[in-house]
Amino acid sequence: MLSATDLVLDLLSTHDRHELSVAALCHAGELCGLRAQNVRVALNRLQRQQRVVSPERGLYRLDTATSGLFGEVESWLRREQRVQDWHGGWAAVLDTAVPRRDKTAWRRHERALALRGFRPLGDSGLRLRPDNLSGGVAGLRKDLARLGLAGEARVFVVTELSPADDKQARRLWDGAALKQQYRRLSRQLAASHKTLSRRPEADAAAESLRLGRAAIRLILLDPLLPDTLIDNRPRQELAERMGAYQRDAKAIWMRLLEQV
């Protein structure tokens, strides 16, 4: 279910200037079935967390400098550019020394690993993904740290897993389930896109936000596996369809918000 916090961050992330008035955000919330008071509470909380700033009374702006996820959301359509040829090695993270006491830090740590497609290899404390991201392990260290990986974690490359471990590693991702999710969302986007221009703008805006955030979330969490491990065509097709869908949906949202 869409929360007021999700709504605020989604709209500020996709807006060209990354800023909107509180009146516009409350209006957007009402379109999505959220009370204005809930949107105001979310804004106050996000401001305390320094995720949004208020440059003037009644105006809120996303603090893109401190948002580790902003770059991810903004560049979701270009994720394919992060992939390079895979030669069989594995990027690894060992995080057995990471303390679990700070729940917020631990959630950021887990989120960073999820965003880069790492999966645990049994109960060894080792997280793996194919070493096929541009920049190699040095770039991955910096990237994971930016996303919130705990400083106690170790990031390195494994080049010679045992045959049994290599076989297990190749099965850490459910390619069939991913393909099914991509194709289902592609069908939903296609059906919605056909009717966007014919529906009341308020209804079209609410539906486009719900479907769009589901599609972008799925794309952002894709592990970007090599073609030898998974059929990547359904993800690529979803990204192309979502790009076209977002352009039309964004135009509807901007018209509605500019009316406030």
Side-chain angles (χ1 to χ4, degrees), residues 123-217:
D123 57 0
S124 64
L126 196 65
R127 319 276 192 117
L128 295 179
R129 66 150 297 113
D131 182 24
N132 69 324
L133 298 181
S134 59
V137 70
L140 187 58
R141 285 193 192 102
K142 294 178 181 177
D143 187 35
L144 287 170
R146 176 183 62 82
L147 291 171
L149 190 78
E152 296 86 351
R154 296 293 175 262
V155 184
F156 52 95
V157 172
V158 175
T159 56
E160 294 187 18
L161 286 174
S162 70
D165 284 342
D166 186 80
K167 184 177 181 180
Q168 182 181 357
R170 291 168 180 264
R171 294 177 175 174
L172 292 177
W173 299 269
D174 190 341
L178 279 173
K179 181 188 294 187
Q180 185 178 28
Q181 287 178 295
Y182 289 131
R183 288 182 170 166
R184 183 180 68 250
L185 260 178
S186 286
R187 290 193 297 268
Q188 291 175 339
L189 285 175
S192 177
H193 203 175
K194 288 180 180 178
T195 63
L196 275 185
S197 62
R198 302 196 300 269
R199 300 178 62 186
E201 284 196 329
D203 293 344
E207 179 176 284
S208 68
L209 185 63
R210 177 181 60 82
L211 278 179
R213 74 187 315 270
I216 291 176
R217 174 178 170 78

